[in-house]
């Protein structure tokens, strides 16, 4: 962080304390619950990650969903777990880490009802009525709860609240959000078909939620605050809860019962919309009514990274506390930076949802903007504190994409002398190019944060318009060379579905790569986009071409458009957008040949072939590293020795093409670890299973 220590008085309001039931939050920054792929399985990593948030100034730091009972087993996903007393010590690690910095610890108690697979516990799932989970194709159903089941559930929830207090939590949640909890399933008329006092009218459907709030207050309310997380709108019109009918009525009915309302939209993909589909503050239109109906503090989210936007939410009476999951992941020190007047140093979330992929892949959370996220314990990385240099090395970093920029930033912060050579006039590499595509403008924040930091450093020089050759590297005089020259898209069609070139792809002038399109190549229609990459780019390019009025077809060997984006919660929205734009979509189709203005498609199941008309093909299949400099240096060991170069390393896409997040991580990792003694040991701490008696 910079040297400024005075905060702009217009942000003072963000640092006012807020009373929450029996407690006081020290400011208005509230880290709402978020998943992280650590949960019960990696408690030390989890505790350290939350501790860093508290250190960064958040007044409240929450867990993710915490399962309260084996019949709410969300496996294979890794969330929090509080099934019995033996789960208390792991969660206490986290509350200790949070309390150390004067923050309040919140726990989101969850019974997931029909959303729980119970694959580990092998219990039957429970629901208001007999129902198959609409979010899963699993051949299992949830059974309708009897009155005795409802009484048991209330007892489990109460017991979990008491355990939560013993684990040191200050705020205990009753969760009715994201269509992921029993309390919400009871509220939803489409899921609640009961004819007893828990079904039918909204008063009846809300009975369970009311009872849970009352039970929790009665159990722990003397010293803990009781929060309700409630989805006021499901964005499905009259078929669901909506802010202008039942969402509003529930708040009106229970207005003063909890100590805090944490309100949002449902489901998770609507709540955590990416920047491609929603702007900062996008939930305001749904949640702004809540404060008019309650005197209790109201928390809401909206990917807030701008302090002015936050102040505006408070001043206009929309929210009392600024809720954040993703902005707190991208910059755990966001509150501290605003408090210290270091607005320039905020690492703004780009809204890409790479953080969500950790939960979906059951691996520790990662973040495009913050490479230390998830590494706080296992590698001891800290988002702001970096060890100083350990020697007199000087660095030549070649390529100013996300990887080279991050590497230079961190080496610079450590105090090394760094030259960052970039072939083009504009730094940023792929993020600069991709940020010009429809919906991806926020990608540029990856570049802008780093450039801004680099511009403040006397010891780092950026050499623009400098395409470096191997000969120039040995003449340059740096002791260490880092190659971050990126990658380029293949033209031959080789990717996942094709291990050999596609006939006609490498010979025709009408076959374009994503690089060609980003360089402004003129494409004529009708055009087919072949997406064997399965992340966002194929669909974004189809959208771009369609927006210019061309006839566009998207062909993919997967069973859906942008298949991997199920992990970023975007898949449904992406496919919907293409269909609405009039892009014709062929799924489960490979391309066999491109000839005479025709593309031969092959069904991935039957092998049956059909032809479609196309004057051009855009092929997004896989990439090749730009490894010319690395290979040339490898071939001239004597010259390298004579130049007294101690090490040459390739990082990011020129090492192995991957995500922007992986490139940033590689840049950080190199700068952080290049001076560690080499060895074959595992590069991080692990949480090994304790095999002593249970
Ligand atoms: P990464 O994602 O690994 O950071 P990018 O492709 O985004 O990779 O960025 C690589 C950058 O390296 C681009 O800006 C490109 O212009 C630059 N570059 C490639 N080759 C050279 C070279 N020989 N000298 C200097 N810069 C280069
Ligand atoms: Fe934001 Fe992307 Fe980081 Fe998630 S991964 S916090 S969306 S920058």
């Amino acid at each position: 962080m910079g040297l400024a220590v005075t905060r702009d008085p217009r942000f003072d309001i963000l640092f006012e304390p807020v009373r929450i039931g029996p407690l006081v939050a020290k400011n208005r920054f509230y880290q709402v619950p978020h998943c992280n792929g650590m949960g019960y399985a990696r408690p030390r990593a989890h505790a350290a990650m939350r501790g860093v948030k508290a250190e960064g100034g958040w007044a409240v730091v929450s867990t993710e969903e915490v399962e309260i009972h084996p019949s709410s087993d969300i496996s294979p996903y890794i969330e929090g777990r509080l099934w019995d007393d033996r789960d208390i010590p792991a969660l206490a690690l986290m509350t200790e880490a949070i309390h150390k910095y004067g923050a309040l610890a919140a726990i989101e108690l969850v019974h997931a009802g029909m959303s729980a697979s119970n694959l580990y516990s092998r219990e039957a799932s429970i629901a208001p009525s007999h129902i198959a989970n609409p979010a899963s194709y699993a051949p299992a159903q949830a059974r309708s709860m009897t009155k005795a089941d409802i009484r048991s559930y209330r007892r489990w929830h109460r017991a979990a609240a008491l355990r939560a207090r013993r684990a040191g939590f200050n705020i205990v949640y009753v969760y009715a959000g994201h269509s992921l909890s029993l309390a919400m399933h009871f509220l939803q008329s489409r899921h609640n078909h009961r004819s007893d006092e828990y079904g039918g009218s909204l008063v009846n459907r809300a009975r369970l939620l009311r009872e849970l709030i009352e039970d929790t207050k009665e159990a722990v309310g003397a010293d803990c605050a009781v929060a309700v997380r409630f989805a006021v709108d499901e964005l499905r019109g009259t078929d669901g809860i909506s802010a202008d009918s039942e969402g509003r009525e529930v708040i009106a009915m229970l207005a003063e019962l909890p100590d805090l309302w944490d309100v949002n939209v449902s489901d998770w993909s609507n709540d955590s919309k990416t920047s491609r589909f929603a702007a900062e503050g996008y939930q305001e239109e749904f949640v702004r009514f809540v404060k008019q109906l309650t005197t209790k503090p109201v928390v809401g989210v909206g990917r807030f990274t701008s302090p002015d936007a936050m102040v505006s939410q408070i001043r206009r009476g929309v929210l009392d506390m600024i809720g954040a999951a993703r902005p707190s992941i991208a910059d755990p020190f966001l509150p501290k930076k605003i408090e210290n007047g270091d607005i320039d140093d905020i690492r703004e979330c780009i809204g890409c949802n790479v953080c969500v992929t950790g939960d979906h892949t059951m691996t520790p959370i990662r973040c495009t903007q913050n490479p230390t996220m998830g590494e706080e314990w296992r590698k001891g990385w800290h988002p702001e504190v970096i060890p100083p240099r350990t020697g007199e090395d000087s660095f030549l970093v070649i390529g100013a994409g996300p990887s080279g920029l991050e590497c230079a930033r961190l080496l610079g912060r450590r105090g090394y002398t760094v030259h960052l050579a970039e072939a083009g006039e504009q730094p940023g590499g792929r993020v600069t190019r991709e940020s010009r595509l429809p919906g991806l403008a926020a990608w540029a924040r990856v570049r802008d944060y780093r450039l801004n930091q680099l511009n403040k450093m006397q010891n780092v020089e950026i050499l623009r318009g400098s395409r470096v050759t191997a000969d120039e590297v040995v003449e340059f005089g740096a002791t260490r060379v880092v190659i971050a020259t990126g990658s380029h898209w293949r033209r031959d069609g080789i990717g996942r579905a094709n291990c050999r070139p596609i006939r006609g792809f490498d010979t025709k002038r009408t076959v374009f790569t994503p690089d060609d399109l980003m360089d402004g190549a003129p494409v004529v229609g009708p055009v087919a986009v072949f997406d064997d990459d399965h992340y966002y780019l194929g669909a974004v390019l189809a959208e771009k071409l369609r927006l210019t009025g061309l006839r566009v077809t998207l062909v993919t060997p997967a069973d859906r458009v942008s298949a991997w984006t199920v992990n970023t919660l975007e898949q449904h929205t992406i496919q919907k957008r293409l269909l609405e734009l009039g892009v014709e979509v062929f799924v489960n189709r490979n391309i066999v040949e491109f000839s005479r203005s025709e593309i031969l498609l092959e069904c991935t199941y039957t092998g049956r072939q059909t032809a479609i008309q196309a004057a051009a093909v855009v092929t997004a299949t896989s990439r090749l590293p730009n490894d010319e400099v690395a290979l040339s240096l490898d071939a001239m060991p004597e010259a390298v020795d004579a130049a007294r170069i101690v090490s040459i390393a390739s990082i990011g896409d020129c090492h192995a093409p991957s995500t922007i997040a992986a490139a940033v991580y590689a840049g950080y990792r190199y700068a952080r670890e290049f001076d560690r003694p080499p060895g074959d040991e595992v590069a991080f701490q692990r949480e090994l299973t304790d095999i002593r008696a249970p």
Side-chain angles (χ1 to χ4, degrees), residues 326 329-330 349-355 366-369:
R326 290 171 292 177
I329 294 167
C349 167
I350 70 167
C352 62
N353 279 6
V354 160
C355 47
R366 60 215 57 210
C367 169
T368 300
Q369 278 284 58

Side-chain angles (χ1 to χ4, degrees), residues 398-404 421-424 426-431 466-469 484-487 626 629 651-654 659-660 663:
I398 307 169
S403 200
E422 167 52 49
Q426 232 317 16
R430 62 180 286 192
V431 294
S466 306
R467 180 171 291 281
V468 177
T469 62
T485 46
S487 61
N626 297 330
V629 178
I651 61 168
D653 286 335
C654 79
T659 57
I660 299 167

Side-chain angles (χ1 to χ4, degrees), residues 189-204:
S189 59
R190 70 182 184 281
H191 292 141
N192 183 343
H193 306 150
R194 302 178 75 92
S195 53
D196 61 8
E197 69 268 33
Y198 289 96
S201 68
L202 184 62
V203 171
N204 280 357

